[in-house]
Amino acid sequence: MRHPEDYVEAVLSLVEQVPPGRATTYGEIAAVVGRFGPRRVGAVMAEHGGAVPWWRVVRADGTLPPDLAARAREHHREEGTPCRASGAVDLRAARADLDPARRGK
């Protein structure tokens, strides 16, 4: 699937804004960008996200796709990201607020 270049840049820019030890979801990024949905954000991440901190973007339940989970856990441990016993990110404790309206920008 071909993604509009400005959309890819917007998604990756938001991912880069997630601080170490924090996380956001595919859906939250889609909402802030204002176009497409979480699956499209996931597709952009799969295709273009290798150079950004991809492990900071998780599913709504705090998990990552199984093929990325082990590598992500290493990053989460290094960054001190709050996680549940299952290994999923604890979004209540780790959620990064990327919405400029809520951050006062």
Side-chain angles (χ1 to χ4, degrees), residues 31 43 49 60 99 102:
D99 187 342
R102 290 192 303 250

Side-chain angles (χ1 to χ4, degrees), residues 16-100:
E16 289 174 331
Q17 292 176 44
V18 178
R22 307 288 282 202
T24 191
T25 66
Y26 298 103
E28 289 171 352
I29 289 181
V32 173
V33 172
R35 290 167 48 196
F36 308 115
R39 288 179 189 258
R40 186 74 174 254
V41 170
V44 167
M45 293 298 297
E47 196 171 325
H48 303 282
V52 298
W54 54 266
W55 58 91
R56 297 180 190 154
V57 183
V58 297
R59 294 173 175 161
D61 66 357
T63 64
L64 276 153
D67 58 322
L68 299 175
R71 287 182 25 219
R73 269 190 226 103
E74 292 175 28
H75 290 291
H76 293 156
R77 259 192 301 270
E78 289 171 11
E79 294 183 358
T81 306
C83 292
R84 298 188 305 259
S86 66
V89 170
D90 181 350
L91 285 168
R92 281 193 211 153
R95 188 177 310 277
D97 190 359
L98 299 179
D99 187 342

Side-chain angles (χ1 to χ4, degrees), residues 1-16 29 33 35-36 40-41 43-50 52:
M1 170 182 287
R2 180 125 168 87
H3 310 287
E5 188 174 322
D6 64 323
Y7 182 74
V8 171
E9 289 175 15
V11 167
L12 298 180
S13 174
L14 283 170
V15 174
E16 289 174 331
I29 289 181
V33 172
R35 290 167 48 196
F36 308 115
R40 186 74 174 254
V41 170
V44 167
M45 293 298 297
E47 196 171 325
H48 303 282
V52 298

